[in-house]
Amino acid sequence: MKYLLLPLLLILLGCESNQEAEPTQTSSTEAPTDPYADRIEAATERLGSSAPAQKVLRAIEAHGGLESWYGNGPLYYHFNYRPLDDGNPRDTYITNDYVNSRAVHQLASDTTVRYGFDGQDAWSPDGDRVEGMSPRFWSLTPYYFVGLPFVLADEGINFEELPAEELDGTTYDLVKVTYEQGTGDASGDYYVLYLNPETGQVDALRYIVSYPGYFPEGGSTPEKIMKITGKTKVDGITLPTGYTTYMWNDGQISEPVTDITVSDYAYRSDLADDFFDRPADARVYNDLPE
C-alpha cells in the first residue's frame, strides 16, 4: 500500500501548485491606472457645478475630452500671427506641454532661435524681447487660444451665462469666463465663448488683454472678437486651423486686425521632459511689475 501513496501525493501536490498559480495569472490582466484620472475627476466635478460650467464641459467633450487632451502628450504646431496694421508679425513653431503649462517657441525665420516658459520663468536667448514681443506674454498666448476650451478645466476660473447672441446666421450660447484674483499672470482677462448649440464646440470668442507687463497701472486692451476660420482633428482632438480677429465696438464687429493660421499639428508623446528646460545659455525674462 505504501507504494500507492506516492502517486497520490504527487497528484495532490500538483493540484495545489495549479491552484496557487491562478491568482498570478489573473492579476497580470489588470488595466494600468490613468495618471490623469484624479485631475480629470476634479475638473469634471468643478465643471458640473453650474449650468454655464456644464456648457464648457460639453465643449471640452465635443472637442475630444480631457483624457485624450492630457494623454496625447505635448502638442507641436506652427502659429503664424499676422497683424493687418503696422504691428509686429509673430511666426513661430511651438511645442506646448499642457499638463505642466510649459512652452518652447522656435522662430520660423531661424529655428535655432528659441524662447519659452519653463512653468515658472520665461526665458530668451539674451534675456530680452524677441522680435518686439515679450517672451513672458507670448510664450503662453498661442498656448491658450489653441488650447480652448481644454484650458478652462483648470482651477481658479469662474463661468457666467450670458444671453444668446447671433453671429454669422447662428444663434450661439454665450459663456463669460473670468479668473479669481492671482490666477495666472493676468487675472483681469476675460473671455466670452461662442458655443455652437448643435455641436457644442467653440466657434468664436471675445476677449480683452490685461497683462500687467503691458498695463502696470491697470487697464486692458479694447475688446476684440476672434472667429475660428477652420478646424481639424488630430489624434481625437479638434483644433483650430485659423482665426480672424476684429475690433468689437458697442456690440458690433468692425475692422479686422489680425489673421492667424495654425498648421503642422503633431503630438510628441516621446519628447524628453528636459526639452522644456531653460537652456544654460538663455536668460530669464519676466517683465511683470513687482
Side-chain angles (χ1 to χ4, degrees):
M1 291 291 294
K2 65 181 180 180
Y3 300 107
L4 296 175
L5 290 174
L6 183 58
L8 180 60
L9 181 60
L10 291 173
I11 291 171
L12 291 173
L13 289 172
C15 290
E16 290 177 1
S17 176
N18 288 338
Q19 289 173 355
E20 291 174 355
E22 288 178 0
T24 302
Q25 187 176 24
T26 303
S27 63
S28 66
T29 62
E30 293 179 0
T33 303
D34 182 352
Y36 308 111
D38 290 345
R39 183 169 180 170
I40 293 170
E41 182 180 359
T44 302
E45 183 176 347
R46 284 194 301 272
L47 293 171
S49 62
S50 68
Q54 289 169 6
K55 290 184 177 182
V56 172
L57 179 59
R58 182 194 177 208
I60 288 172
E61 294 298 328
H63 280 264
L66 289 174
E67 185 174 349
S68 294
W69 178 247
Y70 292 138
N72 283 350
L75 179 63
Y76 170 88
Y77 54 95
H78 180 192
F79 195 91
N80 188 2
Y81 171 96
R82 301 184 303 277
L84 300 178
D85 53 17
D86 58 355
N88 290 317
R90 302 167 192 177
D91 188 6
T92 56
Y93 296 99
I94 307 171
T95 307
N96 287 150
D97 169 16
Y98 280 96
V99 174
N100 300 296
S101 299
R102 299 182 294 179
V104 172
H105 289 240
Q106 297 170 273
L107 297 188
S109 58
D110 181 356
T111 56
T112 65
V113 179
R114 303 194 304 159
Y115 63 94
F117 186 76
D118 64 8
Q120 181 175 352
D121 293 313
W123 53 266
S124 66
D126 56 4
D128 207 341
R129 294 176 181 270
V130 181
E131 292 191 345
M133 70 190 77
S134 160
R136 178 86 185 196
F137 172 74
W138 194 251
S139 286
L140 296 186
T141 295
Y143 163 107
Y144 212 86
F145 286 126
V146 169
L148 285 170
F150 301 100
V151 292
L152 301 179
D154 292 340
E155 296 181 90
I157 301 178
N158 305 307
F159 304 99
E160 176 189 355
E161 191 161 3
L162 300 181
E165 190 172 289
E166 184 177 341
L167 179 67
D168 296 334
T170 298
T171 301
Y172 284 93
D173 296 328
L174 265 57
V175 173
K176 185 174 184 178
V177 178
T178 57
Y179 298 86
E180 295 177 8
Q181 185 68 34
T183 300
D185 281 349
S187 53
D189 286 358
Y190 69 74
Y191 297 84
V192 177
L193 307 179
Y194 285 66
L195 303 176
N196 190 297
E198 295 185 6
T199 67
Q201 293 186 359
V202 180
D203 285 352
L205 62 143
R206 301 201 315 266
Y207 68 95
I208 64 165
V209 173
S210 66
Y211 179 62
Y214 295 156
F215 300 96
E217 304 300 325
S220 69
T221 61
E223 192 172 29
K224 299 174 184 176
I225 184 167
M226 175 181 279
K227 296 182 183 180
I228 296 175
T229 56
K231 298 175 183 176
T232 187
K233 183 172 278 191
V234 183
D235 292 346
I237 298 295
T238 298
L239 296 161
T241 58
Y243 312 86
T244 301
T245 306
Y246 304 83
M247 298 303 299
W248 180 261
N249 296 318
D250 297 324
Q252 299 293 323
I253 294 174
S254 59
E255 71 275 10
V257 290
T258 59
D259 274 333
I260 301 169
T261 57
V262 195
S263 59
D264 302 332
Y265 282 114
Y267 281 100
R268 294 186 164 177
S269 58
D270 58 347
L271 198 64
D273 191 64
D274 62 5
F275 175 84
F276 294 96
D277 291 349
R278 174 164 59 95
D281 58 349
R283 294 169 56 192
V284 168
Y285 184 91
N286 289 331
D287 57 341
L288 294 171
E290 297 182 359

Short mmCIF file of all heavy atoms in Angstrom, two decimals, residues 69 75-82 90-96 98 105 138 141-148 226-234 237-245 258-267:
data_model
loop_
_atom_site.label_atom_id
_atom_site.label_comp_id
_atom_site.label_asym_id
_atom_site.label_seq_id
_atom_site.Cartn_x
_atom_site.Cartn_y
_atom_site.Cartn_z
N TRP A 69 -6.81 64.79 -24.28
CA TRP A 69 -6.08 66.04 -24.24
C TRP A 69 -4.81 65.90 -23.39
O TRP A 69 -3.72 66.29 -23.82
CB TRP A 69 -6.97 67.14 -23.70
CG TRP A 69 -6.32 68.48 -23.56
CD1 TRP A 69 -6.04 69.15 -22.42
CD2 TRP A 69 -5.87 69.33 -24.63
NE1 TRP A 69 -5.45 70.36 -22.69
CE2 TRP A 69 -5.34 70.49 -24.04
CE3 TRP A 69 -5.87 69.21 -26.03
CZ2 TRP A 69 -4.81 71.53 -24.80
CZ3 TRP A 69 -5.34 70.25 -26.78
CH2 TRP A 69 -4.82 71.39 -26.16
N LEU A 75 2.02 69.11 -27.50
CA LEU A 75 1.47 69.44 -28.82
C LEU A 75 2.40 70.39 -29.55
O LEU A 75 2.77 71.44 -29.02
CB LEU A 75 0.09 70.07 -28.65
CG LEU A 75 -0.63 70.51 -29.93
CD1 LEU A 75 -0.93 69.31 -30.83
CD2 LEU A 75 -1.93 71.25 -29.60
N TYR A 76 2.73 70.02 -30.80
CA TYR A 76 3.59 70.84 -31.66
C TYR A 76 2.72 71.43 -32.78
O TYR A 76 1.84 70.74 -33.32
CB TYR A 76 4.68 69.97 -32.26
CG TYR A 76 5.49 70.61 -33.36
CD1 TYR A 76 6.62 71.37 -33.07
CD2 TYR A 76 5.15 70.43 -34.70
CE1 TYR A 76 7.38 71.95 -34.09
CE2 TYR A 76 5.90 71.00 -35.72
CZ TYR A 76 7.00 71.77 -35.41
OH TYR A 76 7.74 72.33 -36.41
N TYR A 77 2.99 72.71 -33.15
CA TYR A 77 2.25 73.33 -34.25
C TYR A 77 2.97 74.60 -34.72
O TYR A 77 3.87 75.11 -34.04
CB TYR A 77 0.81 73.66 -33.84
CG TYR A 77 0.68 74.50 -32.59
CD1 TYR A 77 0.55 75.88 -32.66
CD2 TYR A 77 0.67 73.91 -31.33
CE1 TYR A 77 0.43 76.65 -31.52
CE2 TYR A 77 0.55 74.67 -30.18
CZ TYR A 77 0.43 76.04 -30.28
OH TYR A 77 0.32 76.80 -29.14
N HIS A 78 2.56 75.08 -35.86
CA HIS A 78 3.09 76.31 -36.45
C HIS A 78 2.03 77.39 -36.30
O HIS A 78 0.93 77.29 -36.85
CB HIS A 78 3.41 76.07 -37.93
CG HIS A 78 3.98 77.26 -38.65
ND1 HIS A 78 4.10 77.30 -40.02
CD2 HIS A 78 4.46 78.45 -38.20
CE1 HIS A 78 4.62 78.46 -40.39
NE2 HIS A 78 4.85 79.18 -39.29
N PHE A 79 2.36 78.45 -35.56
CA PHE A 79 1.41 79.53 -35.28
C PHE A 79 1.93 80.80 -35.96
O PHE A 79 2.95 81.36 -35.56
CB PHE A 79 1.31 79.74 -33.78
CG PHE A 79 0.12 80.57 -33.32
CD1 PHE A 79 -1.09 79.96 -33.00
CD2 PHE A 79 0.22 81.94 -33.18
CE1 PHE A 79 -2.17 80.71 -32.55
CE2 PHE A 79 -0.84 82.70 -32.75
CZ PHE A 79 -2.05 82.08 -32.42
N ASN A 80 1.20 81.26 -36.97
CA ASN A 80 1.62 82.41 -37.77
C ASN A 80 0.62 83.54 -37.56
O ASN A 80 -0.48 83.54 -38.11
CB ASN A 80 1.70 82.03 -39.25
CG ASN A 80 2.31 83.13 -40.11
OD1 ASN A 80 2.71 84.17 -39.60
ND2 ASN A 80 2.39 82.89 -41.40
N TYR A 81 1.03 84.52 -36.76
CA TYR A 81 0.19 85.66 -36.37
C TYR A 81 0.58 86.86 -37.23
O TYR A 81 1.72 87.32 -37.18
CB TYR A 81 0.42 85.94 -34.88
CG TYR A 81 -0.18 87.20 -34.32
CD1 TYR A 81 -1.41 87.18 -33.67
CD2 TYR A 81 0.51 88.41 -34.39
CE1 TYR A 81 -1.94 88.34 -33.12
CE2 TYR A 81 -0.01 89.57 -33.84
CZ TYR A 81 -1.23 89.52 -33.21
OH TYR A 81 -1.76 90.67 -32.66
N ARG A 82 -0.40 87.37 -38.00
CA ARG A 82 -0.11 88.45 -38.94
C ARG A 82 -1.03 89.65 -38.69
O ARG A 82 -2.22 89.60 -39.04
CB ARG A 82 -0.28 87.95 -40.38
CG ARG A 82 0.62 86.78 -40.76
CD ARG A 82 0.48 86.39 -42.22
NE ARG A 82 -0.89 86.05 -42.57
CZ ARG A 82 -1.45 84.86 -42.37
NH1 ARG A 82 -0.74 83.90 -41.79
NH2 ARG A 82 -2.69 84.63 -42.73
N ARG A 90 4.29 87.59 -35.74
CA ARG A 90 4.87 86.62 -34.81
C ARG A 90 4.66 85.24 -35.42
O ARG A 90 3.54 84.73 -35.46
CB ARG A 90 4.21 86.73 -33.44
CG ARG A 90 4.33 88.13 -32.86
CD ARG A 90 3.43 88.37 -31.67
NE ARG A 90 3.39 89.78 -31.32
CZ ARG A 90 2.62 90.28 -30.35
NH1 ARG A 90 1.84 89.49 -29.65
NH2 ARG A 90 2.64 91.58 -30.11
N ASP A 91 5.73 84.67 -35.89
CA ASP A 91 5.66 83.44 -36.67
C ASP A 91 6.61 82.42 -36.05
O ASP A 91 7.82 82.53 -36.21
CB ASP A 91 6.05 83.75 -38.13
CG ASP A 91 5.81 82.57 -39.06
OD1 ASP A 91 5.25 81.56 -38.62
OD2 ASP A 91 6.21 82.68 -40.24
N THR A 92 6.05 81.45 -35.32
CA THR A 92 6.90 80.50 -34.61
C THR A 92 6.35 79.08 -34.69
O THR A 92 5.15 78.85 -34.88
CB THR A 92 7.03 80.88 -33.12
OG1 THR A 92 5.73 80.97 -32.52
CG2 THR A 92 7.78 82.17 -32.93
N TYR A 93 7.27 78.13 -34.56
CA TYR A 93 6.92 76.74 -34.31
C TYR A 93 6.90 76.55 -32.80
O TYR A 93 7.86 76.91 -32.11
CB TYR A 93 7.93 75.80 -34.96
CG TYR A 93 7.97 75.90 -36.47
CD1 TYR A 93 8.95 76.66 -37.12
CD2 TYR A 93 7.01 75.25 -37.24
CE1 TYR A 93 8.97 76.76 -38.49
CE2 TYR A 93 7.03 75.35 -38.63
CZ TYR A 93 8.02 76.10 -39.25
OH TYR A 93 8.03 76.21 -40.61
N ILE A 94 5.80 76.02 -32.29
CA ILE A 94 5.58 75.98 -30.85
C ILE A 94 5.39 74.53 -30.39
O ILE A 94 4.72 73.75 -31.06
CB ILE A 94 4.35 76.81 -30.46
CG1 ILE A 94 4.44 78.23 -31.03
CG2 ILE A 94 4.17 76.86 -28.95
CD1 ILE A 94 3.18 79.04 -30.86
N THR A 95 5.97 74.22 -29.25
CA THR A 95 5.69 72.95 -28.57
C THR A 95 5.16 73.29 -27.19
O THR A 95 5.82 73.99 -26.42
CB THR A 95 6.95 72.07 -28.46
OG1 THR A 95 7.54 71.92 -29.74
CG2 THR A 95 6.59 70.70 -27.90
N ASN A 96 3.94 72.82 -26.90
CA ASN A 96 3.28 73.11 -25.63
C ASN A 96 3.11 71.85 -24.80
O ASN A 96 2.67 70.81 -25.31
CB ASN A 96 1.89 73.71 -25.85
CG ASN A 96 1.91 75.14 -26.33
OD1 ASN A 96 1.02 75.56 -27.05
ND2 ASN A 96 2.92 75.90 -25.95
N TYR A 98 0.75 70.92 -22.10
CA TYR A 98 -0.46 71.41 -21.47
C TYR A 98 -0.67 70.85 -20.06
O TYR A 98 -1.48 71.36 -19.30
CB TYR A 98 -1.67 71.10 -22.34
CG TYR A 98 -1.84 72.08 -23.47
CD1 TYR A 98 -1.33 71.81 -24.74
CD2 TYR A 98 -2.47 73.29 -23.28
CE1 TYR A 98 -1.46 72.72 -25.78
CE2 TYR A 98 -2.61 74.21 -24.31
CZ TYR A 98 -2.11 73.91 -25.55
OH TYR A 98 -2.24 74.82 -26.58
N HIS A 105 9.20 78.06 -28.11
CA HIS A 105 8.99 78.63 -29.44
C HIS A 105 10.30 78.58 -30.22
O HIS A 105 11.37 78.83 -29.66
CB HIS A 105 8.56 80.10 -29.35
CG HIS A 105 7.19 80.32 -28.83
ND1 HIS A 105 6.21 80.96 -29.56
CD2 HIS A 105 6.61 80.00 -27.65
CE1 HIS A 105 5.10 81.04 -28.86
NE2 HIS A 105 5.32 80.46 -27.68
N TRP A 138 4.06 86.21 -24.69
CA TRP A 138 3.72 85.48 -25.91
C TRP A 138 3.97 83.98 -25.81
O TRP A 138 3.37 83.21 -26.56
CB TRP A 138 4.47 86.07 -27.10
CG TRP A 138 3.90 85.59 -28.41
CD1 TRP A 138 4.47 84.72 -29.29
CD2 TRP A 138 2.62 85.93 -28.96
NE1 TRP A 138 3.65 84.50 -30.36
CE2 TRP A 138 2.49 85.23 -30.19
CE3 TRP A 138 1.57 86.75 -28.54
CZ2 TRP A 138 1.36 85.34 -30.98
CZ3 TRP A 138 0.45 86.85 -29.34
CH2 TRP A 138 0.37 86.15 -30.54
N THR A 141 0.51 82.71 -24.90
CA THR A 141 -0.69 83.26 -25.53
C THR A 141 -1.24 82.33 -26.62
O THR A 141 -2.43 81.98 -26.58
CB THR A 141 -0.42 84.67 -26.08
OG1 THR A 141 -0.16 85.55 -24.97
CG2 THR A 141 -1.62 85.21 -26.85
N PRO A 142 -0.45 81.89 -27.60
CA PRO A 142 -0.98 80.91 -28.55
C PRO A 142 -1.42 79.62 -27.85
O PRO A 142 -2.42 78.99 -28.24
CB PRO A 142 0.19 80.65 -29.50
CG PRO A 142 1.04 81.87 -29.38
CD PRO A 142 0.93 82.29 -27.95
N TYR A 143 -0.67 79.22 -26.83
CA TYR A 143 -1.00 78.06 -25.99
C TYR A 143 -2.45 78.14 -25.53
O TYR A 143 -3.19 77.16 -25.57
CB TYR A 143 -0.03 78.07 -24.81
CG TYR A 143 -0.33 77.26 -23.59
CD1 TYR A 143 0.40 76.10 -23.32
CD2 TYR A 143 -1.29 77.67 -22.66
CE1 TYR A 143 0.17 75.37 -22.16
CE2 TYR A 143 -1.52 76.94 -21.51
CZ TYR A 143 -0.79 75.80 -21.26
OH TYR A 143 -1.02 75.08 -20.11
N TYR A 144 -2.86 79.32 -25.08
CA TYR A 144 -4.19 79.46 -24.52
C TYR A 144 -5.26 79.44 -25.60
O TYR A 144 -6.28 78.75 -25.46
CB TYR A 144 -4.29 80.76 -23.72
CG TYR A 144 -5.23 80.63 -22.55
CD1 TYR A 144 -4.79 80.12 -21.33
CD2 TYR A 144 -6.57 80.99 -22.67
CE1 TYR A 144 -5.66 79.97 -20.26
CE2 TYR A 144 -7.44 80.85 -21.60
CZ TYR A 144 -6.99 80.33 -20.40
OH TYR A 144 -7.86 80.18 -19.35
N PHE A 145 -5.05 80.15 -26.70
CA PHE A 145 -6.07 80.17 -27.75
C PHE A 145 -6.23 78.78 -28.38
O PHE A 145 -7.35 78.30 -28.57
CB PHE A 145 -5.73 81.22 -28.81
CG PHE A 145 -5.96 82.63 -28.35
CD1 PHE A 145 -4.95 83.57 -28.44
CD2 PHE A 145 -7.18 83.02 -27.84
CE1 PHE A 145 -5.15 84.88 -28.02
CE2 PHE A 145 -7.40 84.33 -27.41
CZ PHE A 145 -6.37 85.26 -27.50
N VAL A 146 -5.12 78.15 -28.71
CA VAL A 146 -5.20 76.81 -29.32
C VAL A 146 -5.80 75.81 -28.33
O VAL A 146 -6.52 74.89 -28.71
CB VAL A 146 -3.79 76.36 -29.78
CG1 VAL A 146 -3.78 74.89 -30.17
CG2 VAL A 146 -3.34 77.21 -30.97
N GLY A 147 -5.51 76.02 -27.03
CA GLY A 147 -5.96 75.08 -26.01
C GLY A 147 -7.39 75.25 -25.55
O GLY A 147 -7.89 74.44 -24.74
N LEU A 148 -8.10 76.29 -26.00
CA LEU A 148 -9.51 76.41 -25.65
C LEU A 148 -10.32 75.30 -26.32
O LEU A 148 -10.06 74.98 -27.47
CB LEU A 148 -10.06 77.77 -26.10
CG LEU A 148 -9.66 78.99 -25.26
CD1 LEU A 148 -10.07 80.27 -25.97
CD2 LEU A 148 -10.27 78.93 -23.87
N MET A 226 -12.69 87.13 -31.96
CA MET A 226 -11.86 86.23 -32.77
C MET A 226 -12.74 85.10 -33.31
O MET A 226 -13.32 84.33 -32.53
CB MET A 226 -10.73 85.68 -31.89
CG MET A 226 -9.85 84.64 -32.56
SD MET A 226 -8.55 84.05 -31.41
CE MET A 226 -7.36 85.37 -31.54
N LYS A 227 -12.86 85.03 -34.62
CA LYS A 227 -13.62 83.95 -35.26
C LYS A 227 -12.67 82.82 -35.68
O LYS A 227 -11.62 83.09 -36.29
CB LYS A 227 -14.35 84.46 -36.51
CG LYS A 227 -15.41 85.50 -36.26
CD LYS A 227 -16.08 85.87 -37.59
CE LYS A 227 -17.10 86.97 -37.44
NZ LYS A 227 -17.74 87.29 -38.75
N ILE A 228 -13.04 81.60 -35.35
CA ILE A 228 -12.27 80.45 -35.81
C ILE A 228 -12.65 80.17 -37.26
O ILE A 228 -13.83 79.99 -37.58
CB ILE A 228 -12.55 79.23 -34.91
CG1 ILE A 228 -12.05 79.51 -33.49
CG2 ILE A 228 -11.86 77.98 -35.47
CD1 ILE A 228 -12.39 78.42 -32.49
N THR A 229 -11.66 80.18 -38.15
CA THR A 229 -11.94 80.06 -39.58
C THR A 229 -11.83 78.64 -40.11
O THR A 229 -12.15 78.40 -41.28
CB THR A 229 -10.98 80.97 -40.37
OG1 THR A 229 -9.62 80.63 -40.04
CG2 THR A 229 -11.23 82.44 -40.02
N GLY A 230 -11.38 77.71 -39.30
CA GLY A 230 -11.28 76.31 -39.73
C GLY A 230 -10.87 75.43 -38.57
O GLY A 230 -10.32 75.91 -37.57
N LYS A 231 -11.14 74.14 -38.69
CA LYS A 231 -10.79 73.18 -37.65
C LYS A 231 -10.27 71.89 -38.28
O LYS A 231 -10.57 71.58 -39.44
CB LYS A 231 -12.00 72.86 -36.76
CG LYS A 231 -12.56 74.06 -36.00
CD LYS A 231 -13.82 73.69 -35.23
CE LYS A 231 -14.41 74.91 -34.54
NZ LYS A 231 -15.70 74.60 -33.86
N THR A 232 -9.49 71.16 -37.49
CA THR A 232 -9.01 69.85 -37.92
C THR A 232 -9.01 68.93 -36.71
O THR A 232 -8.99 69.39 -35.56
CB THR A 232 -7.59 69.95 -38.53
OG1 THR A 232 -7.22 68.69 -39.08
CG2 THR A 232 -6.56 70.34 -37.47
N LYS A 233 -9.03 67.61 -36.95
CA LYS A 233 -8.98 66.66 -35.85
C LYS A 233 -7.64 65.94 -35.88
O LYS A 233 -7.24 65.39 -36.91
CB LYS A 233 -10.13 65.64 -35.95
CG LYS A 233 -10.17 64.66 -34.79
CD LYS A 233 -11.42 63.79 -34.81
CE LYS A 233 -12.60 64.53 -34.21
NZ LYS A 233 -13.76 63.63 -33.99
N VAL A 234 -6.95 65.94 -34.74
CA VAL A 234 -5.63 65.33 -34.61
C VAL A 234 -5.66 64.39 -33.41
O VAL A 234 -5.86 64.85 -32.27
CB VAL A 234 -4.53 66.39 -34.42
CG1 VAL A 234 -3.16 65.73 -34.37
CG2 VAL A 234 -4.58 67.43 -35.53
N ILE A 237 -8.56 64.94 -31.12
CA ILE A 237 -8.78 66.28 -30.59
C ILE A 237 -9.06 67.25 -31.74
O ILE A 237 -8.30 67.32 -32.71
CB ILE A 237 -7.56 66.77 -29.79
CG1 ILE A 237 -7.31 65.86 -28.58
CG2 ILE A 237 -7.74 68.22 -29.35
CD1 ILE A 237 -8.41 65.89 -27.54
N THR A 238 -10.15 68.01 -31.63
CA THR A 238 -10.49 69.02 -32.64
C THR A 238 -9.79 70.33 -32.30
O THR A 238 -9.97 70.88 -31.20
CB THR A 238 -12.01 69.23 -32.70
OG1 THR A 238 -12.63 68.00 -33.09
CG2 THR A 238 -12.37 70.30 -33.72
N LEU A 239 -9.01 70.84 -33.26
CA LEU A 239 -8.15 72.00 -33.04
C LEU A 239 -8.38 73.04 -34.13
O LEU A 239 -8.77 72.70 -35.26
CB LEU A 239 -6.67 71.57 -33.05
CG LEU A 239 -6.25 70.61 -31.94
CD1 LEU A 239 -4.95 69.90 -32.30
CD2 LEU A 239 -6.09 71.38 -30.63
N PRO A 240 -8.12 74.33 -33.84
CA PRO A 240 -8.33 75.38 -34.85
C PRO A 240 -7.21 75.39 -35.88
O PRO A 240 -6.04 75.12 -35.56
CB PRO A 240 -8.30 76.66 -34.01
CG PRO A 240 -7.42 76.32 -32.85
CD PRO A 240 -7.69 74.88 -32.54
N THR A 241 -7.56 75.73 -37.11
CA THR A 241 -6.54 75.91 -38.15
C THR A 241 -6.37 77.37 -38.54
O THR A 241 -5.51 77.69 -39.35
CB THR A 241 -6.90 75.10 -39.41
OG1 THR A 241 -8.19 75.51 -39.88
CG2 THR A 241 -6.92 73.61 -39.11
N GLY A 242 -7.19 78.25 -37.99
CA GLY A 242 -7.03 79.67 -38.28
C GLY A 242 -8.04 80.53 -37.54
O GLY A 242 -9.06 80.02 -37.04
N TYR A 243 -7.71 81.81 -37.43
CA TYR A 243 -8.59 82.80 -36.80
C TYR A 243 -8.50 84.11 -37.59
O TYR A 243 -7.46 84.44 -38.15
CB TYR A 243 -8.14 83.14 -35.38
CG TYR A 243 -7.82 82.02 -34.44
CD1 TYR A 243 -6.55 81.45 -34.43
CD2 TYR A 243 -8.76 81.55 -33.53
CE1 TYR A 243 -6.22 80.44 -33.53
CE2 TYR A 243 -8.45 80.54 -32.63
CZ TYR A 243 -7.18 79.99 -32.64
OH TYR A 243 -6.85 78.99 -31.76
N THR A 244 -9.59 84.85 -37.56
CA THR A 244 -9.55 86.26 -37.94
C THR A 244 -10.08 87.07 -36.76
O THR A 244 -11.14 86.73 -36.21
CB THR A 244 -10.39 86.54 -39.19
OG1 THR A 244 -9.90 85.76 -40.28
CG2 THR A 244 -10.32 88.01 -39.57
N THR A 245 -9.33 88.09 -36.38
CA THR A 245 -9.70 88.90 -35.22
C THR A 245 -10.18 90.27 -35.69
O THR A 245 -9.59 90.88 -36.59
CB THR A 245 -8.50 89.07 -34.27
OG1 THR A 245 -7.99 87.78 -33.94
CG2 THR A 245 -8.91 89.80 -33.00
N THR A 258 -6.23 91.15 -37.25
CA THR A 258 -5.20 90.12 -37.43
C THR A 258 -5.76 88.93 -38.18
O THR A 258 -6.96 88.60 -38.08
CB THR A 258 -4.62 89.59 -36.09
OG1 THR A 258 -5.68 89.03 -35.31
CG2 THR A 258 -3.92 90.67 -35.31
N ASP A 259 -4.87 88.27 -38.93
CA ASP A 259 -5.14 86.95 -39.49
C ASP A 259 -4.13 85.98 -38.88
O ASP A 259 -2.94 86.29 -38.79
CB ASP A 259 -5.00 86.95 -41.01
CG ASP A 259 -6.27 87.38 -41.71
OD1 ASP A 259 -7.35 87.18 -41.13
OD2 ASP A 259 -6.18 87.91 -42.83
N ILE A 260 -4.60 84.82 -38.48
CA ILE A 260 -3.74 83.81 -37.86
C ILE A 260 -3.99 82.48 -38.55
O ILE A 260 -5.14 82.09 -38.77
CB ILE A 260 -4.04 83.67 -36.36
CG1 ILE A 260 -3.82 85.00 -35.63
CG2 ILE A 260 -3.18 82.57 -35.73
CD1 ILE A 260 -4.35 85.00 -34.20
N THR A 261 -2.91 81.79 -38.91
CA THR A 261 -3.04 80.42 -39.40
C THR A 261 -2.29 79.49 -38.44
O THR A 261 -1.25 79.85 -37.88
CB THR A 261 -2.47 80.26 -40.82
OG1 THR A 261 -1.11 80.67 -40.83
CG2 THR A 261 -3.26 81.09 -41.82
N VAL A 262 -2.85 78.30 -38.24
CA VAL A 262 -2.24 77.29 -37.38
C VAL A 262 -2.16 76.00 -38.18
O VAL A 262 -3.17 75.55 -38.73
CB VAL A 262 -3.05 77.07 -36.09
CG1 VAL A 262 -2.21 76.30 -35.07
CG2 VAL A 262 -3.53 78.38 -35.49
N SER A 263 -0.97 75.41 -38.26
CA SER A 263 -0.78 74.24 -39.11
C SER A 263 0.26 73.30 -38.51
O SER A 263 0.82 73.57 -37.44
CB SER A 263 -0.34 74.68 -40.51
OG SER A 263 0.88 75.41 -40.45
N ASP A 264 0.53 72.20 -39.21
CA ASP A 264 1.59 71.25 -38.86
C ASP A 264 1.43 70.65 -37.46
O ASP A 264 2.41 70.38 -36.76
CB ASP A 264 2.97 71.91 -38.95
CG ASP A 264 3.26 72.48 -40.33
OD1 ASP A 264 2.70 71.95 -41.31
OD2 ASP A 264 4.02 73.45 -40.43
N TYR A 265 0.18 70.41 -37.05
CA TYR A 265 -0.06 69.83 -35.73
C TYR A 265 0.54 68.43 -35.63
O TYR A 265 0.47 67.63 -36.55
CB TYR A 265 -1.55 69.70 -35.47
CG TYR A 265 -2.26 70.98 -35.08
CD1 TYR A 265 -3.23 71.54 -35.91
CD2 TYR A 265 -2.01 71.59 -33.86
CE1 TYR A 265 -3.93 72.69 -35.53
CE2 TYR A 265 -2.70 72.73 -33.48
CZ TYR A 265 -3.65 73.28 -34.31
OH TYR A 265 -4.34 74.41 -33.94
N ALA A 266 1.11 68.13 -34.47
CA ALA A 266 1.59 66.77 -34.17
C ALA A 266 1.75 66.64 -32.67
O ALA A 266 2.26 67.56 -32.00
CB ALA A 266 2.91 66.49 -34.87
N TYR A 267 1.30 65.51 -32.13
CA TYR A 267 1.55 65.22 -30.71
C TYR A 267 2.89 64.54 -30.57
O TYR A 267 3.23 63.65 -31.36
CB TYR A 267 0.43 64.36 -30.14
CG TYR A 267 -0.81 65.15 -29.81
CD1 TYR A 267 -1.91 65.15 -30.67
CD2 TYR A 267 -0.87 65.91 -28.64
CE1 TYR A 267 -3.05 65.90 -30.37
CE2 TYR A 267 -2.00 66.67 -28.34
CZ TYR A 267 -3.08 66.65 -29.20
OH TYR A 267 -4.19 67.40 -28.91
#
